[in-house]
Amino acid sequence: MAGASIPARITMPAEARRGEIIEIRVLVRHAMDRAIDAPGLTPVPRKIIHTLRVTYDGAEILHMDLSPGIAANPYVAFTTVATTTGEVVFEWLEDGGAVYERRQMLTVT
């Protein structure tokens, strides 16, 4: 399931001046199933997002390892410097190999 979409709220400016520091906020909705089931039921496979990777114009600007103790809908805020017009790609990696992706364009003037 490489590159599948995931419900995420991404807040960042669509445009920025060259050299401007921009804030990017990301809230992803994910079940974060910890494989804990009710007594007597069949165990379910664990499905937790363990990595968030963000690239800007092809260069990695954020790599974050997430632990099973994180919230069900992880929220991350970070800053970066607007250097060139390019795509910001958000990629979440889940246990079992699933990869979810969202893209936002940043225009630099």
Side-chain angles (χ1 to χ4, degrees):
M1 190 184 340
S5 184
I6 190 169
R9 183 180 304 161
I10 300 169
T11 305
M12 59 176 273
E15 293 183 10
R17 291 180 310 239
R18 185 175 312 277
E20 182 179 350
I21 297 173
I22 62 167
E23 181 180 43
I24 300 173
R25 294 177 284 167
V26 181
L27 174 68
V28 64
R29 291 179 52 197
H30 189 272
M32 298 297 241
D33 192 344
R34 299 177 297 156
I36 297 173
D37 204 349
L41 298 178
T42 305
V44 295
R46 186 176 101 158
K47 289 186 177 178
I48 293 177
I49 293 175
H50 58 78
T51 303
L52 168 61
R53 187 172 37 218
V54 182
T55 59
Y56 169 35
D57 197 35
E60 187 173 276
I61 58 171
L62 178 76
H63 184 108
M64 184 174 190
D65 294 326
L66 306 172
S67 71
I70 197 162
N73 300 317
Y75 170 77
V76 176
F78 61 98
T79 59
T80 191
V81 178
T83 56
T84 184
T85 296
E87 203 169 41
V88 180
V89 180
F90 304 84
E91 193 175 66
W92 294 268
L93 284 64
E94 181 191 76
D95 292 342
V99 178
Y100 303 100
E101 185 178 285
R102 292 282 304 271
R103 296 170 178 263
Q104 298 274 124
M105 192 67 182
L106 177 63
T107 301
V108 175
T109 57

